[in-house]
Amino acid sequence: MTTFGSVRARQSADAIRGRLGGAAPSAAIILGSGLGGLADQIDATARIPFADIPGFPTATVVGHAGALIGGTLAGKFVVALAGRFHMYEGHDAALAAFPVRVMHALGAQTLIVTNAAGGVNRLWQPGDLMLIRDHINLMFRNPLIGALEPGDLRFPDMSAPYDSALGELARQVAMGQGIVLREGVYAGGLGPAYETAAEVRMLDFLGADATGMSTVPEVIVARAIGMRVLGFSCITNLACGLSNSPITHAEVLETTAAAAAHFQKLITGIVGKL
Ligand code: HPA
């Protein structure tokens, strides 16, 4: 058993379940860089700092508040993670995915992952929202490496990691709200350096539409434990080489702030229909 496996996750969930009120969440939501504003839309019964959750290190990145929030969104009880653990912080893939195990142990069967990403698809603009149809793991790490965790699939099928019915629901909600929802492939890299222009040309060649530094370990674990997954990227910038300006984390946060209203409306609309 790894340090960040299912047994530990159950202990972590047991330690915080009382503060959340005990109901099984309709969804677990992971809020990416600059997208934490959705947390304010949740009628929260509890806001638990990462420091209070056994097994969680404290989040360090600007734009990541570092709390697990439980409460009602669109009439549904949800748990949301404001902040996440990135491998570029020095964390193992298993730790990057550990909160997924904890939220699953709290009863969530559906995972909504979100992230900020650079746009590799040349037709897109900063501020666009992308439904993640598939991903490419360029982290060269896998959170399932090690002894098989109780309850895990040893060799999870990855032919459809992102649930097609949830994707269709997302399309319908976006259409009803007049939100343009792009769709594409997310390439997950380790970071923390942004890509070079040559790397972005490679990503394009490989079939990626967006690139970021998270999400992949979380989705792999979610599939190994049987959760349904829905994923979104907020395209915060054109990836390196596709525009003349250098990429800054400040720009990433600015763009997510501008796209936040659409993003929040979309996620809230989807959660209401789960
Ligand atoms: N590359 C990788 N990660 C990112 C980017 C990018 O251009 N923008 C936001 N996260």
Side-chain angles (χ1 to χ4, degrees):
M1 258 169 279
T2 69
T3 320
F4 300 109
S6 55
V7 173
R8 187 72 203 275
R10 227 170 293 131
Q11 292 166 351
S12 300
D14 289 346
I16 60 173
R17 188 174 288 106
R19 287 171 71 176
L20 293 169
S26 296
I29 309 171
I30 300 179
L31 301 168
S33 277
L35 298 170
L38 182 69
D40 301 330
Q41 309 285 310
I42 298 171
D43 185 10
T45 51
R47 187 182 173 90
I48 306 171
F50 283 174
D52 290 2
I53 305 176
F56 274 34
T58 42
T60 54
V61 185
V62 178
H64 292 269
L68 188 146
I69 295 138
T72 308
L73 182 69
K76 303 283 169 67
F77 182 68
V78 298
V79 284
L81 213 64
R84 56 151 55 98
F85 305 122
H86 300 90
M87 294 178 64
Y88 61 72
E89 294 170 271
H91 301 311
D92 281 352
L95 173 53
F98 183 64
V100 172
R101 292 190 183 276
V102 174
M103 294 190 288
H104 180 249
L106 289 168
Q109 302 292 336
T110 297
L111 175 68
I112 303 177
V113 276
T114 71
N115 57 55
V120 175
N121 188 314
R122 287 156 198 276
L123 302 176
W124 298 353
Q125 295 301 318
D128 281 354
L129 296 181
M130 179 185 95
L131 174 68
I132 305 177
R133 203 157 42 197
D134 204 349
H135 72 224
I136 302 174
N137 182 2
L138 292 173
M139 295 170 155
F140 303 103
R141 306 279 194 285
N142 193 298
L144 305 177
I145 286 173
L148 181 64
E149 287 295 317
D152 280 19
L153 280 174
R154 173 76 297 185
F155 302 111
D157 170 62
M158 295 297 279
S159 60
Y162 299 86
D163 189 272
S164 63
L166 290 176
E168 184 52 30
L169 173 64
R171 277 182 212 111
Q172 281 169 15
V173 170
M175 203 186 300
Q177 294 178 338
I179 292 172
V180 176
L181 186 59
R182 311 287 187 192
E183 288 190 32
V185 174
Y186 175 87
L190 276 179
Y194 291 118
E195 301 75 19
T196 65
E199 287 163 349
V200 171
R201 284 196 298 275
M202 175 192 75
L203 292 174
D204 189 16
F205 184 73
L206 292 179
D209 295 287
T211 176
M213 307 171 190
S214 67
T215 302
V216 167
E218 298 156 347
V219 172
I220 291 173
V221 163
R223 293 309 300 148
I225 60 182
M227 294 180 85
R228 299 171 77 198
V229 179
L230 179 63
F232 299 97
S233 293
C234 176
I235 305 299
T236 55
N237 56 277
L238 300 178
C240 179
L242 301 184
S243 86
N244 292 325
S245 48
I247 301 161
T248 65
H249 190 55
E251 174 196 11
V252 168
L253 295 182
E254 258 169 52
T255 308
T256 46
H262 275 164
F263 170 77
Q264 291 172 14
K265 211 169 105 181
L266 178 62
I267 303 289
T268 305
I270 292 165
V271 167
K273 295 207 158 101
L274 283 178

